[in-house]
Structures are given as structure tokens and as C-alpha cells.
Amino acid sequence: VQLAESGGGLVQPGDSLRLSCVASERVFSGYAMAWFRQSPGKGEEREFVASITETGGDTFYVDFAKGRFTISRDNAKNMGYLQIDRLEPEDTAVYYCATGRFFSTGRRDLMDYWGRGTLVTVSS
């Protein structure tokens, strides 16, 4: 397994959650990273959430993620993170981390490696 997400679960609206992505160095070092999500009932579409450059020096968020989502990475540990605050039922989805040679601001085809996802369910 080259990328593996964790940290999902059942949470209540308003809670916070930090998702983690552990990566093998081969697919993390020198790669930009992004988080996508796939919501139930939306078919096979994986929706872009946020991305971060290989150094962590720059980030990009889709509009709905601005203010509540924070992407980060620890290159020394080959780890990526997605902090989600003030969770809403609409955030219910499987969240995927991905890495790619190019910094993506939304394009899935720029990602070379994908994890299998972690399910976040927001419900009262």
C-alpha cells in the first residue's frame, strides 16, 4: 500500500476531525498532495477538496473548503493531513488522498497515486 488514509468515522455536526494519509516515501517525497472526496449518491465523481505543494509552501482550496478545511503535510514523516472543522452533514463522504508530480487545483488526472479512502459520516 502506497497511500493509506485514516481518521474517518461517525461524528456529529459541528465536530472537528483530522484525517491522516500515510505514504511510502517513493510516492510522497517530491510529490504534491491533494485530498478529494466522493459523496454518497453522487456516482463515481471524486470532488476536489484541497491541495498542497511538495514543500508545503503553497496550498489551494476549492470554494466550499475555504475556512473549514486545512491541508498540511509532514515530509519528515511522509504524512499528509486534512483538518475539517465545524463538520456539516454535507461533508459526509469517502475522503481520498492522492499524490502527483504536478500541483493540482482540481484536476484528478494530475494525480498519480491514490489511497483507498476513509469514510466520514456526519450525522446527529
Side-chain angles (χ1 to χ4, degrees), residues 45-64:
E45 179 183 352
R46 291 187 184 182
E47 181 179 39
F48 173 82
V49 178
S51 58
I52 189 167
T53 56
E54 60 180 7
T55 63
D58 197 10
T59 58
F60 182 85
Y61 297 89
V62 70
D63 283 347
F64 74 74

Side-chain angles (χ1 to χ4, degrees), residues 51 91 95:
S51 58
D91 296 321
Y95 285 75

Side-chain angles (χ1 to χ4, degrees), residues 6-66:
S6 63
L10 174 62
V11 296
Q12 294 188 338
D15 284 352
S16 295
L17 205 60
R18 188 176 81 156
L19 307 181
S20 299
C21 175
V22 60
S24 63
E25 184 176 4
R26 188 178 72 83
V27 302
F28 195 77
S29 178
Y31 282 74
M33 186 189 77
W35 287 90
F36 292 76
R37 70 182 187 182
Q38 186 169 347
S39 303
K42 290 190 177 181
E44 298 298 317
E45 179 183 352
R46 291 187 184 182
E47 181 179 39
F48 173 82
V49 178
S51 58
I52 189 167
T53 56
E54 60 180 7
T55 63
D58 197 10
T59 58
F60 182 85
Y61 297 89
V62 70
D63 283 347
F64 74 74
K66 293 176 181 177

Side-chain angles (χ1 to χ4, degrees), residues 1-5 34-37 46 96-99 107-109 111-117:
V1 177
Q2 302 186 95
L3 293 172
E5 304 88 341
W35 287 90
F36 292 76
R37 70 182 187 182
R46 291 187 184 182
Y96 298 88
C97 68
T99 59
R107 288 177 56 182
R108 285 173 288 171
D109 64 336
M111 313 314 299
D112 299 312
Y113 300 97
W114 293 82
R116 294 183 177 182

